[in-house]
Amino acid sequence: MTPTSLNRKALILFSGGQDSASCLAWALTRFEHVETVGYAYGQRHAIELECRETLRRKISQLLPDGVRKLGDDHTIDLASLGTLSETSLTRETEISLNENGLPSTFVPGRNLIFLTYAAALAYRRGIKHIVTGVCETDYSGYPDCRDDTIKALQVALNLGMEQRFVLHTPLMWLDKAQTWRLCDEIGGARLVEIIRRDSHSCYKGDRTHKHDWGYGCGNCPACQLRAEGWRRYQESL
Ligand code: ZN
């Protein structure tokens, strides 16, 4: 593989949530070939995974050359992660704050594991750029979403695999309102509408209750963050 073609391929960590859907749109405007990867780890909100194909189809059809650029979708089974961690994302327990101040939705090391698997996949697929929607501006306090964590992991992956991967975090310094604005800049009101309707953030996997910001239970931390971001975005218009 030539360096030129290597530089134009990206792999997106794509859960089907608002952030990863925004990252897919972002990547389709910057790279020539874009693949997606999702993880099944026994999450209660596995409905996210079902939203993925709808989002891939609609977003790629909307953006210039999107259909041509969009490559394979990969799903990796990480059921062992769900059995290792007793959290509110993988068990039917209340979502609350733990003694250490982290929400009970925290799956220890989840993003480290996701990115490491993504890098192994990217290695095999000849892909240099890895894109993840982690964010430390407007987040749930997960330490593995922090900029320093991602930068340290990039170094570790490149040393450990003898590669020059670049981990991209286009949402790192954006709050949720700014993420909606980014989507408006990329694909206008139509992209905002696709992500509002078809992406899924609710930790409880609720797609029966419809709100102005999308579907969800309306009460879990992910719904509250999304509702608040949408409200601030609407106020800024
Ligand atoms: Zn919810």
Side-chain angles (χ1 to χ4, degrees):
M1 182 147 315
T2 65
T4 311
S5 62
L6 194 67
N7 280 338
R8 298 167 78 182
K9 290 181 165 190
L11 177 65
I12 320 302
L13 276 77
F14 187 58
S15 67
Q18 178 192 345
D19 292 342
S20 69
S22 305
C23 284
L24 175 61
W26 179 87
L28 282 170
T29 64
R30 279 164 183 77
F31 299 99
E32 271 303 300
H33 177 84
V34 174
E35 299 189 10
T36 51
V37 58
Y39 301 98
Y41 57 97
Q43 61 267 56
R44 285 164 67 183
H45 52 305
I47 187 98
E48 265 192 356
L49 297 173
E50 295 172 23
C51 295
R52 297 168 76 249
E53 199 43 53
T54 307
L55 287 164
R56 275 171 46 91
R57 178 171 47 80
K58 290 189 178 179
I59 293 173
S60 64
Q61 286 172 351
L62 177 71
L63 298 175
D65 267 347
V67 174
R68 179 182 62 78
K69 290 178 175 179
L70 186 62
D72 288 350
D73 181 37
H74 311 269
T75 306
I76 296 178
D77 183 357
L78 286 181
S80 54
L81 187 60
T83 58
L84 266 176
S85 55
E86 294 257 351
T87 80
S88 303
L89 283 192
T90 51
R91 297 287 158 91
E92 292 286 334
T93 55
E94 246 345 273
I95 296 171
S96 58
L97 281 187
N98 291 336
E99 283 172 13
N100 58 9
L102 283 170
S104 58
T105 49
F106 179 59
V107 180
R110 182 175 57 156
N111 282 315
L112 303 179
I113 295 164
F114 285 179
L115 282 162
T116 302
Y117 270 84
L121 178 62
Y123 185 105
R124 186 163 60 78
R125 304 286 297 170
I127 295 173
K128 178 186 177 79
H129 300 278
I130 299 169
V131 183
T132 171
V134 294
C135 161
E136 80 165 60
T137 306
D138 208 359
Y139 74 144
S140 301
Y142 301 160
D144 55 349
C145 289
R146 290 181 297 202
D147 192 48
D148 284 351
T149 305
I150 304 298
K151 286 190 164 75
L153 187 61
Q154 175 174 298
V155 174
L157 291 172
N158 284 329
L159 286 172
M161 298 191 193
E162 194 62 33
Q163 291 290 303
R164 292 296 295 164
F165 292 123
V166 182
L167 303 189
H168 296 266
T169 56
L171 312 184
M172 182 61 79
W173 307 111
L174 304 184
D175 63 28
K176 295 288 179 207
Q178 289 170 318
T179 300
W180 285 117
R181 207 163 301 131
L182 173 72
C183 291
D184 187 27
E185 286 164 16
I186 294 171
R190 286 175 66 196
L191 179 61
V192 171
E193 178 59 13
I194 289 168
I195 295 177
R196 187 185 74 85
R197 275 185 70 92
D198 296 312
S199 73
H200 184 87
S201 304
C202 175
Y203 283 146
K204 294 181 177 173
D206 184 329
R207 282 195 74 76
T208 56
H209 295 92
K210 191 177 180 188
H211 312 266
D212 54 354
W213 43 265
Y215 288 95
C217 73
N219 297 313
C220 77
C223 281
Q224 287 172 0
L225 200 59
R226 182 158 164 156
E228 174 64 13
W230 180 259
R231 187 185 64 74
R232 280 188 281 119
Y233 171 61
Q234 291 296 310
E235 282 176 3
S236 73
L237 293 177

